[in-house]
Amino acid sequence: NLKLAKELLNSGCRKYCDSFSCVCPVTEEAIQKVVDVLRSGNLVQGKEVLLLEEKIADHIGVKHAICLSSGTATLHLSLIALGIGYGDEVIVPAFSYVATANVVELVGATPVFVDIELATFNIDVLQIEQAITPKTKAIIPVHEFGLAAEISYLMEIARKNKLFVIEDAACALGARENDQMVGSFGDLGSFSFHPRKAITSGEGGIVSTNNDKLANEIRILRNHGIEINGTKMNFVRAGFNYRMTDFQAALVGSQFNKLETILAYKQQLAQIYLNEIKHTQIRLPIVPDNKYHSWQTFHLLLESEKRRDELKEYLKVNKIMTNYGAQCIPNMTYYQEKYENDSIAKFSNAYMAFTCGLAIPLYDLLSKEQIIYISKTINNFK
């Protein structure tokens, strides 16, 4: 039902706009692109997927981009393509969305957690080498909230120790370090098109790489392990159904041309927060001079969990919704019970970011006036 499809897509686009601020991701053009795919009858992994892969590869500056069904799938297949499995260890930050560690568990390897820097919420690269053992095979740095990790320095550590690097850039499409796009530093880069991201396909993700062999392996693994040679098809791996639909690709692809506009506007909104929020009990995020932040999330840090929860409730009363930014993964029940680590002491920064952190609204449908209102409301928090 094409009418229903258009209504569903429209319902996801909040209507608040003003003349100078708003870029609605799900535009009429995007809706029409999806309708065109539905009418075509070619719904899975068709020309729209190929077109999106070309656009993203060119944007990041890599040879290959491979569309998958989710950002988690991109991490999962990256590990499998690298041959990482039982008995191996993979270094991951202690503060991230839990999927970063879950995929390591799913391939049978062991996640080895490293604490973060509180200033940036990214992995503390100075602690990485002491976490490396003979079993370590890879590092998954997360560009947390859209800010590039110290990826150049991390790559030096990885090369010296002959380790693979999978960049978890789920939040960071368009983020840069020294004018180089994240997702182009490591062996593989992982991106998400979840609705919280700057551009979205609902669910979906994409892998970036300059490695021909890895790209081919991921293309085979995403499609049940099928390898196509000319007109012949063969099953050469025990693969997955991790394909992206063509209407998902059409949806995100139609937003792609507006990506830089969206990110530039979010920069303006974030700068208002940085200028206007002045509260002695609230720490603001820091952006190093050599980084371009994509601002998926604006994450505040308070002095205690109690104060964080009080601010959350206070903002809710003032009709400002907030959320928790990420998890201290080793403190989550599964990892706590399996590895029995003292997560509060060993990963104190990650634990503080988790228990004392709060994500406040930052998306491209907000006006500058709304951001100023939120800032003033925060400043009035007693």
Side-chain angles (χ1 to χ4, degrees), residues 63 149 158 212 228 241-242 245 284 319:
K63 290 173 66 177
D212 297 341
I228 298 174
N241 181 1
Y242 279 171
T245 65
L284 302 178
K319 304 189 184 305

Side-chain angles (χ1 to χ4, degrees), residues 118-121 147 274 283-288 293 295:
L118 273 180
T120 63
F121 303 111
L147 177 66
L274 292 171
R283 289 169 60 175
L284 302 178
I286 291 172
V287 184
H293 203 316
W295 290 113

Side-chain angles (χ1 to χ4, degrees), residues 87-374:
D88 296 333
E89 293 178 351
V90 179
I91 292 172
V92 300
F95 183 68
S96 177
Y97 189 64
V98 72
T100 308
N102 282 353
V103 291
V104 178
E105 290 280 322
L106 289 172
V107 299
T110 300
V112 175
F113 298 106
V114 170
D115 207 1
I116 61 164
E117 295 178 319
L118 273 180
T120 63
F121 303 111
N122 281 324
I123 190 168
D124 186 347
V125 290
L126 298 180
Q127 296 189 39
I128 289 176
E129 290 201 87
Q130 65 195 54
I132 296 172
T133 75
K135 295 181 179 180
T136 308
K137 295 295 187 293
I139 308 171
I140 305 180
V142 178
H143 304 299
E144 194 63 56
F145 302 141
L147 177 66
E150 292 298 319
I151 188 66
S152 296
Y153 183 65
L154 186 145
M155 290 304 301
E156 292 179 14
I157 296 171
R159 292 188 190 101
K160 183 171 73 172
N161 292 278
K162 296 181 171 56
L163 302 177
F164 297 116
V165 174
I166 304 168
E167 297 177 68
D168 185 339
C171 302
L173 183 62
R176 302 187 286 274
E177 180 183 273
N178 295 325
D179 294 325
Q180 183 176 343
M181 291 284 183
V182 300
S184 65
F185 290 86
D187 298 279
L188 295 149
S190 161
F191 296 87
S192 170
F193 296 131
H194 183 271
R196 286 189 65 200
K197 314 310 177 188
I199 56 177
T200 181
S201 55
E203 288 286 0
I206 201 161
V207 179
S208 59
T209 185
N210 283 308
N211 188 302
D212 297 341
K213 183 178 179 182
L214 291 175
N216 186 57
E217 186 74 3
I218 290 171
R219 288 189 178 103
I220 290 170
L221 287 167
R222 73 173 169 181
N223 191 25
H224 298 287
I226 296 173
E227 183 178 60
I228 298 174
N229 187 2
T231 59
K232 294 184 179 180
M233 182 179 74
N234 192 13
F235 291 86
V236 297
R237 299 282 186 278
F240 302 82
N241 181 1
Y242 279 171
R243 295 169 301 196
M244 178 182 280
T245 65
D246 227 36
F247 49 86
Q248 283 177 304
L251 179 58
V252 72
S254 64
Q255 302 161 50
F256 178 78
N257 293 336
K258 300 180 178 67
L259 175 63
E260 290 302 325
T261 303
I262 293 169
L263 295 182
Y265 181 60
K266 292 180 81 172
Q267 292 282 334
Q268 295 176 41
L269 299 185
Q271 194 58 52
I272 293 173
Y273 276 148
L274 292 171
N275 293 338
E276 296 295 327
I277 296 176
K278 301 181 188 336
H279 196 294
T280 57
Q281 295 180 11
I282 295 174
R283 289 169 60 175
L284 302 178
I286 291 172
V287 184
D289 290 340
N290 66 334
K291 314 280 188 182
Y292 180 85
H293 203 316
S294 66
W295 290 113
Q296 139 104 27
T297 300
F298 196 97
H299 196 250
L300 304 177
L301 196 61
L302 283 88
E303 59 186 10
S304 69
E305 184 174 4
K306 179 176 182 292
R307 292 298 281 156
R308 187 273 306 273
D309 292 344
E310 288 172 349
L311 176 60
K312 182 174 175 62
E313 184 59 31
Y314 162 78
L315 292 175
K316 183 179 179 181
V317 169
N318 284 276
K319 304 189 184 305
I320 300 167
M321 301 308 293
T322 60
N323 207 340
Y324 307 121
Q327 294 85 43
C328 177
I329 304 174
N331 188 248
M332 298 297 99
T333 299
Y334 171 83
Y335 292 96
Q336 190 68 45
E337 291 181 353
K338 181 171 183 178
Y339 296 107
E340 298 180 345
N341 54 62
D342 186 354
S343 56
I344 298 175
K346 192 172 181 181
F347 311 107
S348 57
N349 286 348
Y351 186 75
M352 184 175 182
F354 170 55
T355 56
C356 303
L358 191 66
I360 61 175
L362 182 66
Y363 52 92
D364 55 289
L365 302 186
L366 288 170
S367 72
K368 294 177 181 178
E369 288 82 4
Q370 287 173 311
I371 296 294
I372 291 170
Y373 167 76
I374 295 168

